Amino acid sequence: NASSPFFDPEWMFGLQAGFDIVIGNPPYVQLQKDGGKLANLYKNCGYTSFERTGDIYALFYENGIHNLKSGGHLCFITSNKWMRAGYGKSLRKLFNAHDPVLLVDLGPGIFESSTVDTNILIIGKERNRGRLAGVTLDAEAKDAGLSDVIAQQKSLLPKMGADAWFIGNQAEQDLKEKIERIGKPLKAWD
């Protein structure tokens, strides 16, 4: 019942161009946990999304995208901390190098037993076409048809960069942008 130390789609599945789709729920484990055991294991493996203070799911995202064929899609459900955390900057940069399509932030109450807030991201392995749409769901949404709620409430998020990602309608995005442009950051106050 041992696991392989490598993953090779060609050798394992006869695929040379990669997968059409990668779907998963990678583990949420801080790389710095246990004295940085995982961080030390992966720090020299060439992951552009690696951050010592990050989480292993970031490496799963990068590896999943790497194993897609051109035009393929990845869909993961993970912790949503990458959207705002400092360690998520390199992951957000990776996502922008590809084509994020849909981001569904699952607020509190969607999963009663979940210990972290989660999200679902669908991303294509192709050039970013600026078509990312996002929606934040609440506990009421789980009793409705999710596809209907997403279709009705999603907002286009064309300006996502390496900075924190925020899901909001156009007015909320404009307000956030204005506050960031003219406001004084909290860290600049004594």
Side-chain angles (χ1 to χ4, degrees), residues 84-107:
R84 291 169 292 284
Y87 74 78
K89 188 172 188 171
S90 58
L91 188 57
R92 294 186 296 268
K93 187 176 177 181
L94 172 75
F95 292 158
N96 279 317
H98 296 285
D99 191 31
V101 178
L102 181 64
L103 176 59
V104 180
D105 198 18
L106 304 169

Side-chain angles (χ1 to χ4, degrees), residues 33-156:
K33 190 176 177 178
D34 295 330
K37 182 178 171 184
L38 286 173
N40 292 333
L41 183 65
Y42 291 109
K43 70 181 177 185
N44 296 320
C45 291
Y47 286 101
T48 62
S49 62
F50 175 84
E51 297 288 342
R52 187 166 202 71
T53 58
D55 202 290
I56 198 165
Y57 66 76
L59 309 182
F60 274 79
Y61 268 117
E62 186 170 344
N63 198 20
I65 291 169
H66 173 77
N67 281 298
L68 287 172
K69 72 161 87 173
S70 182
H73 286 86
L74 175 139
C75 180
F76 275 1
I77 182 170
T78 65
S79 164
N80 68 2
K81 298 302 179 239
W82 63 265
M83 292 173 61
R84 291 169 292 284
Y87 74 78
K89 188 172 188 171
S90 58
L91 188 57
R92 294 186 296 268
K93 187 176 177 181
L94 172 75
F95 292 158
N96 279 317
H98 296 285
D99 191 31
V101 178
L102 181 64
L103 176 59
V104 180
D105 198 18
L106 304 169
I110 298 292
F111 300 113
E112 291 89 12
S113 63
S114 180
T115 57
V116 297
D117 290 338
T118 56
N119 66 24
I120 298 169
L121 177 68
I122 300 174
I123 186 167
K125 186 176 183 177
E126 57 187 298
R127 178 185 54 82
N128 191 331
R129 299 189 303 186
R131 61 182 176 153
L132 175 62
V135 63
T136 299
L137 301 181
D138 56 22
E140 295 174 14
K142 74 177 184 176
D143 297 326
L146 286 181
S147 62
D148 292 336
V149 172
I150 291 169
Q152 292 167 3
Q153 296 181 11
K154 70 181 177 184
S155 300
L156 189 60

Side-chain angles (χ1 to χ4, degrees), residues 153-183:
Q153 296 181 11
K154 70 181 177 184
S155 300
L156 189 60
L157 308 171
K159 298 180 183 176
M160 295 301 185
D163 292 332
W165 283 19
F166 166 76
I167 299 173
N169 62 37
Q170 190 60 51
E172 292 167 329
Q173 291 177 50
D174 291 344
L175 178 60
K176 179 182 180 290
E177 197 172 291
K178 182 178 181 180
I179 291 169
E180 289 172 345
R181 188 177 62 250
I182 63 174

